[in-house]
Amino acid sequence: CEHLVEAVAELVDDLARRCPKLRLLCTSREALQVGGERVWRLPPLEDPAACYELFAQRAWTGGATVIDSTSETVGRLCEALDGLPLAIELAATQAGSTSMEELLRIATEGTESLGRRGGEARQRSLDAVLEWSLHRLPPAQRASLLVLSTLPGRFDAQMATSILGAVGACDTQAVRVLVRGSLIDLDGSDYRLLDTIRHAARRHLNAEPDLAAAARLGLRAWAIEMGTKWYRARTNHYAIPHDQLLALELALIDGVGDGAPGLGTVWCLVQIVRHHREPSAQLIELAERAITGD
C-alpha cells in the first residue's frame, strides 16, 4: 500500500468506522497510522537455509542451477544483501548470466545495481526501489538519507542531529520519518541503514557532488565536535562504540586528504582509543602517510 498510503489510510479508517467487526490486512513499507492499527514489522530473513532456498528457487525459475560447490558463496551473497527477499530475488535473476563470485562482488562493493525486466517498475532493482522512495520524500528528508549513507555503520540520534545540522539542505529530525518509511532501521537505541540501502543511496549521493561534499563536511564537523568533547577526557574510551570509531577514522582520513585544519583532537582521540583496540587498516595507512609526508 505504500504507493497509495494516504488514500488507503482514509479508506481503512472509513471502513473501520462503518464496519466495526471488519478486519483488514494491509502490506506496506510504512504504517497507515489510523486508529486501531496493529503493526507487525517483518525483519529480513535470518535463517541461512531460507535465504539459500529462496535464491535457488528464483535462480531455477530463471533457467540457472545453483550447485553445491557454490553454496558458501550464495550464503555470503545473501548475507551481503541483508537477507532482504527482494534483493535476493533480484540477484537470483542474474545467476544465469553472472558468476556467483561476481554477484558477491557487486553486492559487497555496491558499485552496480542488480535488476530485472518486467513487473512493477519501482521493484525492478534496488535502485528503482530507492529512487521511488526518494521521489516521495520532501527534499530535506531526501538529502538527509543520502547524507547519512556516508556513515559506515550504526549511529545514534545525537550523531545524526549533529551531522544533519551541519548540512543546510537537511532536516535534523528526518531520522524518525525515514524509520517510519523503512529506509532506516531502529535497532535498540541505535539506528542503521541496511547495506543494500546504503550502497544504493551512496550511488545517488555520488551523482550530486555538492551534496556529497557537504556530507563530508558534516561528518567532519561531528568528528571535531567529538574530538573536542573527548580530548584528554579522563573516561573509559571503550564507551565510544565501534561504529562511531569507524566514522571518526573516515572523517579523519577524508579531512587529511583535503588538508583540512582542526583535526588534531580527532587524531588524538582515535589514537588513544586504538591504543586499547586493534588498529584498522585505514588508520595504519593514514599513519604511514603522515610519517612519510605523502
Side-chain angles (χ1 to χ4, degrees), residues 10-79:
E10 292 181 6
L11 174 62
V12 168
D13 184 63
D14 185 49
L15 289 173
R17 285 186 289 104
R18 293 171 181 265
C19 310
K21 295 185 178 180
L22 181 65
R23 297 293 180 265
L24 297 168
L25 175 63
C26 307
T27 62
S28 176
R29 290 181 60 193
E30 59 182 286
L32 300 181
Q33 300 188 59
V34 297
E37 179 182 28
R38 182 174 179 181
V39 177
W40 282 277
R41 294 193 179 277
L42 301 180
L45 295 174
E46 296 182 355
D47 182 7
C51 293
Y52 181 87
E53 181 180 359
L54 175 61
F55 182 91
Q57 286 181 352
R58 295 299 184 267
W60 180 80
T61 58
T65 302
V66 180
I67 57 179
D68 292 341
S69 61
T70 62
S71 60
E72 181 181 354
T73 305
V74 172
R76 291 167 58 197
L77 171 61
C78 293
E79 183 179 357

